[in-house]
Amino acid sequence: MRPYSQVLDQLRNAGLRPTRQRLALAKLLFENAPRHVTAEGLHGEAQRAQVRVSLATVYNTLHQFTEAGLLKEVVIDANRSHFDTTTTEHGHFFFEDESRLQDIPDGQVELVSLPDLPEGTTVKSIDVVVRLNNS
Amino acid sequence: MRPYSQVLDQLRNAGLRPTRQRLALAKLLFENAPRHVTAEGLHGEAQRAQVRVSLATVYNTLHQFTEAGLLKEVVIDANRSHFDTTTTEHGHFFFEDESRLQDIPDGQVELVSLPDLPEGTTVKSIDVVVRLNNS
DNA sequence: GTGTTTGCAAAGTGTTTGCAATTTA
DNA sequence: TAAATTGCAAACACTTTGCAAACAC
């Protein structure tokens, strides 16, 4: 839950100018958070909301927001990149038939323990995905 | 651990003719199992082993083997498809800096419990990925 | 022989990039 | 007005596909 009002500050802190496009995309993303988007999907939404923004800019913006810590990229789907407004650690359901992502409520997918790490490595993230089929 | 000798039978059972290309790829895959490959990587290996096989055939073969249950596709990397000779449930380390995959030993990444599933769904698989950075 | 498989090259898909025009500070 | 950002179209990387030739049974 990241109030949209904080977003402007976070853009500034990340050295990102609050352009019309970024603000519009941030609004779509964070006023409806928590949520998951693909570039294509967010672009379509923007168009439907009468926001003129190119697909290239949507891609750039998603990556910039990710670098700024506003989003987390979720690698789950061989065909498409997904982004999540929730950046804290949590698991995902992935509906294979619809290529749709859904958060697993906190506390429902804890690991028994952290595995022994290979020498000279640090954990970047731990991703738990429960892949689901209909029926 | 799937002995290479079983592979011929499994190809037959899957209705796949044991062609020169399939046998050669199966040999590379299962004589060195457990292991992880990408299409590009396996193709390179085949060439180095003097096996003439096209990249298109490598792709086709990897998918056919996956459908036949000989391999499991691991979606972990936004840029490339990875395949694993171990088809039973287990976690993975992913070395982000090298785009390399490694199995987590059995028992080191168990979940405390299965989360409540959304209505009308069944679990296809549960994927646990520990993403690692060097140092 | 008949149906399957292969390899090539072309097409496809999602994503990134170069650069001129535009916008922001 | 200097630097950042956008949008377009082209380029890209990986993957899939159509089809004629080669192969398996």
Side-chain angles (χ1 to χ4, degrees), chain B residues 11 15 20 70-71 98:
Chain B
L11 289 187
R20 173 177 62 74
L70 294 166
L71 294 176
E98 315 152 48

Side-chain angles (χ1 to χ4, degrees), chain B residues 55-83:
Chain B
L55 183 57
T57 295
V58 173
Y59 273 106
N60 289 337
T61 302
L62 287 173
H63 287 135
Q64 291 156 351
F65 283 12
T66 299
E67 273 171 47
L70 294 166
L71 294 176
K72 184 172 193 296
E73 185 169 0
V74 184
V75 180
I76 234 174
D77 182 341
N79 304 303
R80 233 172 306 284
S81 293
H82 293 256
F83 295 84

